[in-house]
Amino acid sequence: MADIPIPEIVSEINNKHQFPEFKGKVIKRGDVDYDAQSYQYASSSHLEDGIIQPAAIIKAADDSDVIKAIKYASENKIAVAVRTGGHQYSGASSTSGKNIQLDLSQTYKDFDWDDENCTSVTLGVSFPLGEFNAKLREKNRFVPHGQCQYVNLGGHIQTGGYGQLARSFGLFSDHVKKFRIITADGQVRWVAQGEDLFFAVLGGSPGNFGVLTHATLNVFRDQDYPNSRGLRAAYPYDRQRLKDLLDVMVEMVEDENFPADYDYCITVLSEPPFRTFELTYDMAHRKEGQQMVAWPPMIVVFAQWANLQGEKQTYNPDFFNKIKQVAGKGLVQVSDKEHTPMSTLTGHWIVPISREFELPYIKRTYSSNSNSQRLKEHKWTDWISDRIEDGRNWNYDKTSGPIDVGCNVAAQIQHFGGNNSRFNQNGKRNTASFSWRDANILCTVDAFYHSYQYEQTIEWQKKNDEGVGKPEAAFCEHDRRVLWGSYDLDLSASHQYYYDQNPEGKYERLCKIKQKYDPSGVFTPNRFCIGLPVPVPADSKDGIKKRIKLSGSETAKERAAAIELAKVPQLSAEDRFWEMASTERELGKTVPLWNIWRA
């Protein structure tokens, strides 16, 4: 297999070189608004890595701008990074050196129903999930998708579209019939299931095969699921409560024939640290007029019964009652006691914030195919509950706010498996290249940190890594990762973690398709790409050591102040939860998350 060249990356741009005339705006490195326009979700986490510094950002107006940018890159032997929402965790939707970024955040927003029944839609990739969901809901239609309101469809399609409906309907990308893409030769192509480019773009490596512009989707009708139910409830964070809720999930795994109607997901959030010792990079990039949103230390439960058999199927509340029984007292915002249309439920599952915390992060997402027996033998629910408990001081000081000892935790754990799971069944078709479709549980454990928390955050994540990759690991004996939850900066060096052998030789096949459609590496703007020669050493776990603190400067005073906060009288997470729950909303003040979280 031939190596795919990566264009030269240099530290300076030749400002004398003239770009072509584009219809859309061009922002060059050094321009007044460059910092604001280049900022994206991963920026603060990779400032000193220098990977989110494109020579120019081209806000493409239409196809002609895209084709012109590709031609310019090809002729000048540079590469193009493609951004729609800019949410990629490793910063792979940006680039550096002489390379350029195509910003498609507003380029492709056409939306057309393909039939009178509104069961097929062709749309552009520039829609964020919240807006896309609302467009479908206008016609009482829905499709499975993720929970991040400001993730755009371009990257979501290429990385799967994991979300709350995974067991009942599969991934978002399972419902793509065809897509439109502009490849490195400047050709506009419609690509359908069965073609090698379809296989590669859906799951191969986001942005590595061309510029995705549109997709045609099959969508579902509310009327075919007339008794659907959902539960979304927030509970005070408590280590034992979390463990009990996870035990319910393991019971689901134990029943391999658990009905596909049920989806179950648990989110854990520590409280945002509004009173802080430093102005972080993300705080400096708040949008003007942005509403400040807060929440107490909490566990959020998402559960759903999809009524897959239609009007003849009777709802049995036993599973939901078990969840509510072990969870105890909480705030129920979506209740299973009455029918809620599926299109409305998918809106309720979307979280209405752009970022968990205004801090840099070290992220982890693990995929496990461990059965219930193995999970119980290794006491996984105890292990992960302890890891989350150890990540943070979960109490609250009434004078100073959340106690910044540990890191700021955002965790999500979801059941995907079982014989009846559409996530599992759809994966067997092999029309796309998404891996690990045999997963039973996915576990995301993210740590956001202040500068003085950096070293302890690294150590905390290192211990979390011990949960996978060896026979005695609590979660999974293999290290299995997903593209949307990536944390490596070098995909080629870490490909064995992201690509399975279903079908055999998947990664090698993807590299050959990449070579066919992009032989000169126009869409190889960074190391998070396939087919690159592997540097030595290539141990991705060591990469974390190179991520130095970026949000501010650590001082002895800051560290001492953080430690002192742990000594003052504190509210428990339980008391803090109910204190915030009883707070009345005031104009101009910080708003509790549950006050704005609705479909």
Side-chain angles (χ1 to χ4, degrees), residues 422-456:
R422 304 291 172 81
F423 173 82
N424 184 298
Q425 292 179 1
N426 293 350
K428 295 176 181 178
R429 298 198 305 252
N430 283 330
T431 57
S433 51
F434 302 109
S435 292
W436 316 127
R437 297 296 290 263
D438 63 339
N440 277 321
I441 296 175
L442 261 68
C443 177
T444 296
V445 187
D446 297 339
F448 294 74
Y449 60 90
H450 286 286
S451 58
Y452 53 84
Q453 299 167 325
Y454 176 71
E455 292 179 0
Q456 61 195 113

Side-chain angles (χ1 to χ4, degrees), residues 223-237:
Q223 66 196 68
D224 296 325
Y225 311 91
N227 299 313
S228 57
R229 310 290 177 108
L231 171 69
R232 194 188 79 215
Y235 301 94
Y237 169 80

Side-chain angles (χ1 to χ4, degrees), residues 28 178 201 241 280 314 342 438 481 520 546 553 555:
K28 295 182 181 180
K178 60 181 180 178
V201 170
R241 175 179 283 119
T280 71
T314 302
M342 287 298 300
D438 63 339
R481 309 173 193 175
S520 61
K546 299 174 185 177
S553 59
T555 67

Side-chain angles (χ1 to χ4, degrees), residues 350-514:
I350 294 176
V351 184
I353 54 175
S354 59
R355 188 180 189 88
E356 299 92 325
F357 305 100
E358 293 180 313
L359 296 166
Y361 54 70
I362 299 173
K363 286 180 174 279
R364 290 290 186 268
T365 295
Y366 312 98
S367 167
S368 174
N369 62 348
S370 294
N371 59 29
S372 61
Q373 181 179 352
R374 187 185 187 284
L375 293 170
K376 289 178 179 179
E377 286 176 353
H378 288 80
K379 298 182 179 180
W380 170 71
T381 59
D382 270 311
W383 182 85
I384 189 62
S385 298
D386 285 342
R387 295 304 311 134
I388 292 172
E389 176 79 3
D390 290 346
R392 176 74 180 168
N393 185 322
W394 292 88
N395 294 336
Y396 181 89
D397 167 44
K398 295 198 73 169
T399 301
S400 302
I403 299 171
D404 285 334
V405 175
C407 53
N408 301 276
V409 176
Q412 188 168 74
I413 305 164
Q414 183 173 344
H415 182 218
F416 283 79
N419 294 332
N420 298 315
S421 165
R422 304 291 172 81
F423 173 82
N424 184 298
Q425 292 179 1
N426 293 350
K428 295 176 181 178
R429 298 198 305 252
N430 283 330
T431 57
S433 51
F434 302 109
S435 292
W436 316 127
R437 297 296 290 263
D438 63 339
N440 277 321
I441 296 175
L442 261 68
C443 177
T444 296
V445 187
D446 297 339
F448 294 74
Y449 60 90
H450 286 286
S451 58
Y452 53 84
Q453 299 167 325
Y454 176 71
E455 292 179 0
Q456 61 195 113
T457 301
I458 287 179
E459 293 304 313
W460 185 68
Q461 286 290 29
K462 281 184 178 179
K463 290 182 180 179
N464 294 338
D465 286 337
E466 295 174 5
V468 300
K470 49 191 176 183
E472 67 274 19
F475 190 45
C476 187
E477 61 182 319
H478 305 291
D479 187 344
R480 303 164 17 132
R481 309 173 193 175
V482 291
L483 288 173
W484 62 264
S486 59
Y487 55 87
D488 297 284
L489 299 184
D490 194 327
L491 182 59
S492 291
S494 310
H495 68 84
Q496 68 271 27
Y497 305 123
Y498 291 92
Y499 302 97
D500 59 22
Q501 289 294 314
N502 184 25
E504 187 174 352
K506 177 187 288 185
Y507 180 73
E508 290 73 19
R509 179 184 173 188
L510 289 169
C511 290
K512 289 178 181 178
I513 297 171
K514 167 74 169 173

Side-chain angles (χ1 to χ4, degrees), residues 66-226:
V66 172
I67 294 169
K68 193 176 293 185
I70 293 171
K71 183 174 184 291
Y72 170 82
S74 181
E75 290 175 349
N76 288 276
K77 293 181 170 43
I78 61 173
V80 177
V82 185
R83 168 183 181 172
T84 51
H87 211 80
Q88 211 281 334
Y89 291 171
S90 298
S93 55
S94 190
T95 188
S96 58
K98 294 181 180 180
N99 302 325
I100 59 177
Q101 182 188 62
L102 267 174
D103 185 334
L104 308 182
S105 57
Q106 301 296 323
T107 311
Y108 298 107
K109 300 197 78 169
D110 36 329
F111 186 102
D112 298 299
W113 293 104
D114 300 325
D115 56 9
E116 291 183 359
N117 291 327
C118 296
T119 56
S120 176
V121 63
T122 298
L123 75 166
V125 299
S126 301
F127 286 98
L129 288 184
E131 191 175 340
F132 166 67
N133 178 273
K135 295 282 285 187
L136 292 185
R137 199 161 63 246
E138 291 173 1
K139 297 289 186 180
N140 301 314
R141 299 295 185 265
F142 70 96
V143 72
H145 57 65
Q147 293 179 272
C148 299
Q149 180 166 329
Y150 298 101
V151 165
N152 283 26
L153 293 182
H156 204 53
I157 290 172
Q158 296 177 74
T159 54
Y162 285 66
Q164 176 62 20
L165 280 65
R167 291 192 75 253
S168 49
F169 292 92
L171 299 180
F172 174 80
S173 301
D174 291 341
H175 305 285
V176 175
K177 293 195 293 185
K178 60 181 180 178
F179 58 75
R180 183 176 181 271
I181 190 170
I182 303 175
T183 46
D185 57 5
Q187 296 299 306
V188 178
R189 308 167 188 263
W190 276 100
V191 181
Q193 288 186 16
E195 299 183 50
D196 59 356
L197 200 53
F198 189 95
F199 175 82
V201 170
L202 299 189
S205 180
N208 276 195
F209 299 94
V211 180
L212 194 68
T213 69
H214 295 79
T216 299
L217 308 171
N218 288 320
V219 299
F220 299 91
R221 309 186 307 173
D222 281 346
Q223 66 196 68
D224 296 325
Y225 311 91

